[in-house]
Amino acid sequence: MKSYQVKFKQVLPITLSAAWDFFSSPANLAKITPDDMEFIVTSEESEEKMYPGMLITYKVSPLFGIHLNWMTEITQVVPEKYFIDEQRFGPFRFWHHQHHFKAIEGGVEMTDILTYGLPFGILGRMAHGILVKNKVKEIFTFREKKVVELFGEYPTRLPLP
């Protein structure tokens, strides 16, 4: 089975606590997902903070307007350090998404490590090269821009004291 891994890193001018509060809330997922994916969190617990074993359900339209149900489980949580979600049911053969947070001078560094696989063998590998790889990149590029809109841009140079 073929797997793919992508890493995304972003720095924000907010506190570790503020970043954790926002990104560990399932209710905020739709705010940082492209509108054309029609992403809707359907879990009743979406207003709660994440905890190990939490199941989150969504409706999503990743490609061609096809609507899918998706379920992820939060498998690990270390507050203000990282959490991991894994697909239990959905469009991927498997999905393992690590979200890491680290306080840095003047803000927080966030690192995502996404490892996933597609169903359908050779057809899935072809779909990855043609569609899925670019869609994953598009989603994280959108998120990067949206998060800057919400929290501001991290200065490339911090002011001297």
Side-chain angles (χ1 to χ4, degrees):
M1 171 182 2
K2 178 77 171 144
S3 66
Y4 307 94
Q5 187 174 78
V6 290
K7 294 180 183 180
F8 295 93
K9 199 170 276 208
Q10 185 172 10
V11 290
L12 294 171
I14 59 175
T15 65
L16 177 60
S17 178
W20 181 261
D21 285 346
F22 182 83
F23 289 97
S24 67
S25 172
N28 290 325
L29 287 170
K31 295 176 186 174
I32 57 172
T33 303
D35 293 338
D36 67 344
M37 291 188 65
E38 302 178 36
F39 187 91
I40 300 168
V41 178
T42 58
S43 305
E44 291 182 17
E45 297 179 321
S46 67
E47 298 297 325
E48 292 186 31
K49 289 295 175 195
M50 290 183 180
Y51 57 86
M54 180 181 210
L55 295 174
I56 306 168
T57 56
Y58 324 90
K59 291 204 178 287
V60 63
S61 179
L63 296 169
F64 310 121
I66 300 168
H67 292 84
L68 302 171
N69 292 312
W70 193 350
M71 176 188 285
T72 58
E73 178 181 356
I74 304 303
T75 59
Q76 296 180 43
V77 177
V78 176
E80 296 192 355
K81 291 197 183 298
Y82 71 90
F83 65 90
I84 297 173
D85 64 90
E86 296 181 358
Q87 176 186 282
R88 293 297 173 245
F89 178 82
F92 293 86
R93 183 168 181 139
F94 66 91
W95 171 278
H96 180 90
H97 188 180
Q98 302 175 47
H99 308 255
H100 296 269
F101 301 85
K102 179 173 77 171
I104 59 170
E105 184 179 354
V108 64
E109 177 184 88
M110 302 183 310
T111 304
D112 288 270
I113 304 169
L114 172 60
T115 306
Y116 63 95
L118 299 171
F120 310 120
I122 186 99
L123 294 175
R125 289 192 292 280
M126 289 170 52
H128 183 263
I130 296 168
L131 296 169
V132 179
K133 179 180 174 180
N134 290 333
K135 188 66 174 181
V136 169
K137 183 177 180 181
E138 176 187 310
I139 291 166
F140 278 93
T141 299
F142 176 89
R143 185 184 81 168
E144 181 179 49
K145 291 176 183 172
K146 191 65 175 180
V147 168
V148 167
E149 284 179 25
L150 292 169
F151 300 110
E153 192 158 1
Y154 185 81
T156 52
R157 292 178 155 230
L158 293 172
L160 295 173

